[in-house]
Amino acid sequence: MADPAIAIVGAGPAGIRAAEALSRHGLSAILVDEAPKGGGQIYRQPPDSFQGPASSRYGFEARKASALHLTIKRLATAIDYRPSTLAWNVCNGRLDTLCAGRGESVVFDILVIATGAMDRMLPLPGWTLPGVYALGGAQIALKYQGCAIGQNTVFLGTGPLLYLVAYQYAKAGAKIEAVLDVNPAHAKRRALFALASSPRTLAKGIYYRASLGTHGIAVEEGVTPMGIAGTDEVRDVHYRRGSVDKSVRCDAVGLGFGLKSETQDGESTVSGVYLAGDGAGIGGADAAELWGERVGLSIAARCGRRHDASRIAKIDRRLARLARFRAGLERAFPLPLLGSTLPDDTILCRCESIRVGQVKDAIRAFDVVEMNRMKAISRVGMGRCQGRMCGHAAAELLAAETRQDLAAVGRLRGQPPIKPLPMPWPGTP
Amino acid sequence: MKPSPLAQHSTDEAAQPRMVRLIEAERARLTFSLDGAPATAREGDTILTAVLTARRYLAESAGGEDTRAGFCLMGACQECWVAVDGTRARACSTLVTAGMSVATGGHFTVG
Ligand SMILES: Cc1cc2nc3c(=O)[nH]c(=O)nc-3n(C[C@H](O)[C@H](O)[C@H](O)COP(=O)(O)OP(=O)(O)OC[C@H]3O[C@@H](n4cnc5c(N)ncnc54)[C@H](O)[C@@H]3O)c2cc1C
Ligand code: FES
């Protein structure tokens, strides 16, 4: 049997380790990533003009980052690695890609989707004001461009990244006005046992949190965000703690409530399509590397290559331990229910500036009970971002308005192109 | 005619740009054209970085009722479209090159 054509989308920890495992077993893959350099989100490489050491960029993870960068550098000559290439459609064994304005279709027998995660976002009053950035975006500004998102920054939301990014900003010399976590301290204490399954990661988290104190940065937990105020840009963040209304002045906000998969669903049910890394379920960078390798080994086994069963068993044990840690994180930093409590004049859809009240009206007027019908009628989820930013809150809103469970309202179906294509768009030959 | 929200902004807070360079700020300079006027960037800047280290806003929102300054910085939200030498590009994921012409004025709808 001829070797199958294998395509991998995403050159982050998961995609790179999958490609490496395949290559070790004599299988070559086409690896596409829209970024100009490999590494993915956590180990994103800055443009060439940044010459500083890895330690200043990746902190405790510098060794892992350098190892991964070395792997992709070596692989680049051995496999068909295509950076700066967007995958915009998958259909019947064909992957449609775009690189420097040129379209190309890649035919595959086996596809690995390792497209990573993005910020889990919830709308707030004022979240479209200039100066509000996704938390992950705030980190990219620093890691990829050496910049802070503002002169005086507030970090608002929840999740481990909230504390990590605040720590990285403080270390780089940015001025932080406050770190506001919607989850209370006791949620974290209750999760400690599960979190202790990865003691080193837990220790790092505790260190980041503690060092914010050392830098004199106010950290408030268990807050209810009321909104971001300002006329034509961010001026204050308003929040409530207990029964006390508070506000903090700032000109930038890093907003994020954890991470969610860039692919919509966890398990692939299509034969020949594998999901790996954060794109399949949020597990963090170490899990992404292991998961990628695991998928590579599964494919090698499927292609009749000799594989090391003990390595597979070891990866599975480690992934199980990381899953326990992940469950602990979910308990420590759950997503707050905000979508159903937003004031009517809050912009829900950033792309088309559609407000909560307009969506509620549409739901009532047309007896909408399902997400894709809501999209068709209200246009929420139809804009450029395809519901990436507002999808969750829109679902919460629909569930609350129609007194259904969140799961019952369904989810937005994406349409190709998965990301907008630059125009003018030259046709594929 | 309704004045452009960008025009309203140009008077206030002109002194401080939005983004602050903290690390490796002293990279080589290059010049490009921003909305028809000469502008300076550092080598390795994205268009978004170059614009927001010079002023506080990127462009009007798709509907034109307010201004935006990018949001996700990772190519997901699509709020940072600009015209680069006549073609649409995401400001957060396009590096500035010397002599490039960037226009933030109009807004670009996705067909
Ligand atoms: C902004 C951000 C910052 C993060 N920072 C940290 C951190 O500091 N520490 C931490 O432990 N975890 C962090 N995470 C979590 C992090 O995603 C994972 O730990 C790890 O990077 C997951 O690896 P991965 O290989 O699954 O995905 P990623 O590393 O996200 O890699 C996915 C790759 O796929 C590419 N891609 C996506 N869609 C397409 C497409 N359609 N076409 C072509 N290419 C595509 C992307 O360009 C990317 O390079 C962060 C996540 C985000 C979103
Ligand atoms: S800022 Fe979101 S796509 Fe550029």
Side-chain angles (χ1 to χ4, degrees), chain A residues 31-230:
Chain A
L31 173 60
V32 303
D33 196 305
E34 62 174 321
K37 293 183 181 184
Q41 292 298 359
I42 173 168
Y43 306 133
R44 182 185 273 259
Q45 300 188 63
D48 289 332
S49 53
F50 288 82
Q51 301 280 334
S55 57
S56 73
R57 195 161 297 114
Y58 309 110
F60 293 130
E61 322 304 333
R63 253 197 28 233
K64 287 185 208 162
S66 302
L68 195 76
H69 295 157
L70 191 64
T71 303
I72 184 62
K73 204 169 149 195
R74 283 207 197 111
L75 278 176
T77 54
I79 67 168
D80 186 353
Y81 169 46
R82 303 182 183 179
S84 304
T85 303
L86 172 73
W88 63 274
N89 188 31
V90 188
C91 167
N92 297 333
R94 199 191 75 218
L95 184 72
D96 294 321
T97 68
L98 183 70
C99 175
R102 270 210 43 201
E104 191 179 334
S105 292
V106 173
V107 175
F108 64 82
D109 302 304
I110 294 175
L111 177 68
V112 180
I113 301 179
T115 47
M118 55 172 286
D119 290 283
R120 202 154 62 170
M121 197 48 66
L122 290 174
L124 278 180
W127 72 312
T128 55
L129 287 167
V132 183
Y133 289 94
L135 182 61
Q139 191 194 45
I140 290 169
L142 188 65
K143 210 155 58 176
Y144 185 63
Q145 294 282 284
C147 288
I149 54 171
Q151 320 272 347
N152 312 81
T153 303
V154 167
F155 290 103
L156 170 62
T158 196
L161 209 53
L162 190 73
Y163 296 91
L164 172 61
V165 180
Y167 160 80
Q168 290 168 330
Y169 263 57
K171 201 164 155 239
K175 185 150 184 353
I176 301 175
E177 298 301 329
V179 177
L180 306 175
D181 186 341
V182 298
N183 281 306
H186 60 74
K188 292 151 211 166
R189 283 196 294 272
R190 271 205 306 268
L192 266 182
F193 184 71
L195 293 175
S197 60
S198 293
R200 284 182 45 200
T201 311
L202 176 61
K204 276 184 275 184
I206 292 172
Y207 172 81
Y208 299 142
R209 170 75 169 79
S211 76
L212 292 175
T214 325
H215 279 95
I217 295 162
V219 178
E220 293 208 62
E221 291 167 282
V223 310
T224 305
M226 306 307 289
I228 300 161

Side-chain angles (χ1 to χ4, degrees), chain B residues 42-85:
Chain B
R42 299 284 180 164
E43 206 174 302
D45 277 359
T46 64
I47 295 172
L48 193 80
T49 301
V51 174
L52 295 180
T53 49
R55 69 184 198 204
R56 297 187 74 83
Y57 313 92
L58 177 71
E60 293 175 21
S61 64
E65 60 289 285
D66 55 12
T67 52
R68 300 282 168 90
F71 183 66
C72 72
L73 306 195
M74 54 173 284
C77 76
Q78 317 298 330
E79 280 191 34
C80 63
W81 289 93
V82 294
V84 175
D85 298 324

Side-chain angles (χ1 to χ4, degrees), chain A residues 224-236:
Chain A
T224 305
M226 306 307 289
I228 300 161
T231 39
D232 31 52
E233 65 170 317
V234 174
R235 201 197 52 229
D236 315 278

Side-chain angles (χ1 to χ4, degrees), chain A residues 255-313:
Chain A
L255 183 68
F257 298 86
L259 296 171
K260 65 169 187 153
S261 296
E262 173 67 355
T263 45
Q264 300 274 358
D265 223 327
E267 285 285 299
S268 165
T269 50
V270 183
S271 127
V273 177
Y274 294 77
L275 302 176
D278 271 5
I282 305 303
D286 294 351
E289 286 198 47
L290 289 167
W291 200 331
E293 183 182 351
R294 179 72 171 83
V295 162
L297 294 175
S298 299
I299 297 171
R302 178 181 162 153
C303 298
R305 296 299 197 274
R306 279 190 53 182
H307 59 278
D308 178 355
S310 70
R311 176 68 189 158
I312 290 183

